[in-house]
Amino acid sequence: MGTRDDPLIRGAKIAIKTSDNGSFKTQHNHIKEARRFVITLRDLGYGVKKWKNISNKHVGAVVKQWKINDLAPATIKEYLSGVRTVCRLYGNNCIHGENKDFGVENRTYVTNQDKSVPQEVYENVVSDLKSSSDIDKHRVAAQLQLERELGLRTEEACKFNPERAVFTDGRVFIQHGTKGGRERFINEISDKAGYAINYVKTVIDGNNLIPGHMTEKQWSGKYYRTIRAHGISKAACGASGHGCRHAYTQERYAKLTGFQPPCKFESKEDFKSNAEQIAGENWQKLDRDARQVLKAELGHGPDRDDVVSQYLGSV
């Protein structure tokens, strides 16, 4: 039986393409990741035919083989993301959520570099976009504000619908465009975040910010071209559009702890000195607690200390 006829590969394609989880690129990647998993699974002699029957035993055996084949931990984590996504789409929620349960390291080199979009640049770009007579530029501004004030990913921001996402108690439910289909709540909404949400209501086109005459892929291309043209790029300001999410994370960290994150200092020693001066011996607990909160708010698993350190810097 060839890979095209394999029931698991066929099932993965059907589930991912008919789901509302992720952009075209994300779906394409998840199909490739799931396919790689199935090929290795078959090479190991397993004949399971349904994703709902995939167990941690199957995943563990495949991961072990990937490690023997010298696949990088980052690559294995990407493949596991696709496997978990397909399993969840078939109602299989038994697969371990933490990579370390499969013996995959989460080590990532952290430079402690500040990758946030400078506040002045962000404000100037949003102001310029809103002064345009082009409604699409207003939608770009709305998307940037969601990324900066709520910490949304680009996909999550362009698919944001205030009528569906904002609950009567003020919480915001992030459901569409999430990574790996992981839904989450944002419980604390600042005044600026509230303004960003209300602004979306004035420029939304149907269910989200993607213009009705464009595909998601077309809008993504226009969005990135627009923000680059207005000054948000690594070449222009030292940060990409994703730097808005960095800025949100750093601002939330400062609010939760009372002191600035490590990436705002020349050295870890300078950070520790400042944190201790402000919070005393309690600074380490404040740091740990803030990182746990932020992992949940950003849509990352509880074991992803490496990811949140990319935004804040490490201690």
Side-chain angles (χ1 to χ4, degrees):
M1 178 173 62
T3 57
R4 289 186 178 181
D5 300 321
D6 192 290
L8 283 182
I9 293 178
R10 189 167 61 249
K13 290 180 179 178
I14 293 172
I16 291 173
K17 288 184 176 181
T18 56
S19 73
D20 192 31
N21 292 319
S23 65
F24 172 82
K25 179 180 178 182
T26 299
Q27 292 183 354
H28 177 71
N29 288 341
H30 282 335
I31 290 173
K32 288 201 305 181
E33 292 155 3
R35 184 175 182 275
R36 182 64 181 265
F37 169 78
V38 175
I39 290 173
T40 306
L41 189 70
R42 298 309 187 212
D43 288 343
L44 292 172
Y46 290 99
V48 59
K49 296 181 179 181
K50 295 182 179 180
W51 284 97
K52 66 179 182 180
N53 294 332
I54 295 293
S55 68
N56 287 310
K57 175 184 177 181
H58 295 125
V59 178
V62 170
V63 169
K64 182 179 179 180
Q65 185 60 47
W66 284 341
K67 293 171 75 174
I68 292 173
N69 294 343
D70 289 328
L71 267 67
T75 301
I76 295 177
K77 285 186 284 186
E78 288 177 4
Y79 291 166
L80 287 176
S81 176
V83 172
R84 291 190 182 99
T85 295
V86 180
C87 284
R88 280 196 294 265
L89 290 173
Y90 280 101
N92 182 352
N93 297 306
C94 72
I95 306 303
H96 292 319
E98 297 189 11
N99 295 319
K100 65 181 180 181
D101 290 333
F102 295 113
V104 182
E105 298 178 353
N106 273 322
R107 295 176 184 173
T108 301
Y109 182 65
V110 180
T111 64
N112 276 21
Q113 178 185 352
D114 184 356
K115 300 178 183 178
S116 64
V117 172
Q119 184 66 15
E120 183 178 3
V121 172
Y122 160 73
E123 291 177 354
N124 288 339
V125 171
V126 169
S127 178
D128 287 345
L129 291 169
K130 288 183 176 180
S131 67
S132 172
S133 59
D134 183 350
I135 186 62
D136 281 352
K137 287 192 175 182
H138 286 259
R139 293 186 179 117
V140 171
Q143 188 168 323
L144 272 175
Q145 289 181 160
L146 290 175
E147 293 176 32
R148 172 62 182 83
E149 310 303 344
L150 282 89
L152 302 191
R153 298 182 178 94
T154 302
E155 272 186 49
E156 295 169 345
C158 73
K159 294 180 178 179
F160 186 82
N161 184 326
E163 297 302 324
R164 297 178 180 176
V166 181
F167 282 31
T168 55
D169 60 7
R171 293 179 300 158
V172 176
F173 183 47
I174 308 303
Q175 178 183 20
H176 300 293
T178 59
K179 193 170 184 178
R182 290 186 292 271
E183 302 168 345
R184 68 185 187 278
F185 278 102
I186 300 177
N187 296 315
E188 293 189 33
I189 305 301
S190 68
D191 290 341
K192 288 183 178 179
Y195 174 80
I197 291 170
N198 288 330
Y199 188 71
V200 173
K201 297 176 182 178
T202 68
V203 297
I204 195 171
D205 188 11
N207 290 325
N208 52 47
L209 288 171
I210 303 173
H213 64 282
M214 285 187 177
T215 64
E216 181 182 334
K217 188 175 181 179
Q218 289 171 331
W219 173 249
S220 178
K222 183 169 186 177
Y223 170 78
Y224 284 115
R225 288 194 300 272
T226 301
I227 64 173
R228 284 196 296 266
H230 282 262
I232 294 182
S233 69
K234 291 183 179 179
C237 70
S240 64
H242 193 65
C244 286
R245 187 164 148 97
H246 281 255
Y248 165 84
T249 307
Q250 293 166 16
E251 185 174 86
R252 281 288 290 142
Y253 177 91
K255 182 178 180 181
L256 291 167
T257 63
F259 45 84
Q260 293 295 319
C263 66
K264 294 295 186 182
F265 295 85
E266 291 293 329
S267 68
K268 293 181 181 181
E269 289 70 27
D270 289 344
F271 158 73
K272 293 176 183 178
S273 176
N274 178 72
E276 188 169 357
Q277 183 178 358
I278 293 173
E281 296 180 357
N282 196 42
W283 75 265
Q284 290 177 304
K285 185 179 188 316
L286 289 169
D287 173 82
R288 289 194 300 269
D289 290 350
R291 289 171 188 265
Q292 286 297 112
V293 170
L294 286 166
K295 279 183 283 187
E297 288 189 352
L298 294 171
H300 291 293
D303 64 322
R304 297 312 305 273
D305 293 314
D306 57 329
V307 176
V308 79
S309 290
Q310 294 292 333
Y311 296 105
L312 302 171
S314 67
V315 179

